[in-house]
Amino acid sequence: RPDCPRSLSDQFTKNVRLITGALGERGRRIQIDQRTKAESDIAVAAASILARERFIDWMRTAGTKLGRKMPLGASDLVKTVAREIVADRGAEFLKQVAKTHFKTAAEVAPQFFTNDSLPDAD
């Protein structure tokens, strides 16, 4: 709801600025509550299911456009594909097809993605 005054998020980071920054970029100024196991709230659980489906569909589409399967997670295969994308298209392009605020991006391209941008960084 556009007029919603607050949000509830699973606490996946100690750095709440990661979420407030993302919301602020979109012009949203709402109260952000975080807690572990937030998916016990039916709204958070439903949103998580819908977001996961959209993410998987998006990854499939991105893989088709790139002509390669886009693996999920942080496995060695994910890192190999990410390194290939950086080599072929550049680190900036990786931001279009990957979650670059996680440790895997810093491992794959440390000259472009640092631990300073990771969720648990202070």
Side-chain angles (χ1 to χ4, degrees), residues 91-103:
E92 282 299 313
F93 185 80
L94 190 63
K95 289 180 182 180
Q96 296 176 36
V97 296
K99 296 178 182 179
T100 58
H101 60 280
F102 288 106
K103 185 170 84 171

Side-chain angles (χ1 to χ4, degrees), residues 24-109:
E25 290 173 7
R26 292 167 179 81
R28 305 291 191 260
R29 303 280 183 245
I30 62 174
Q31 176 184 332
I32 299 172
D33 298 325
Q34 288 187 315
R35 69 172 190 232
T36 56
K37 309 266 188 224
E39 66 276 359
S40 64
D41 182 291
I42 189 99
V44 176
S48 179
I49 291 166
L50 295 172
R52 180 70 179 174
E53 180 192 19
R54 177 66 183 106
F55 172 70
I56 290 170
D57 288 347
W58 184 88
M59 287 293 285
R60 189 176 300 118
T61 301
T64 299
K65 289 179 181 178
L66 288 171
R68 67 177 77 199
K69 184 174 181 186
M70 299 292 286
L72 303 176
S75 68
D76 288 338
L77 178 59
V78 168
K79 294 173 188 175
T80 297
V81 170
R83 285 185 184 100
E84 291 170 358
I85 290 171
V86 170
D88 293 347
R89 306 264 186 129
E92 282 299 313
F93 185 80
L94 190 63
K95 289 180 182 180
Q96 296 176 36
V97 296
K99 296 178 182 179
T100 58
H101 60 280
F102 288 106
K103 185 170 84 171
T104 303
E107 290 177 17
V108 167

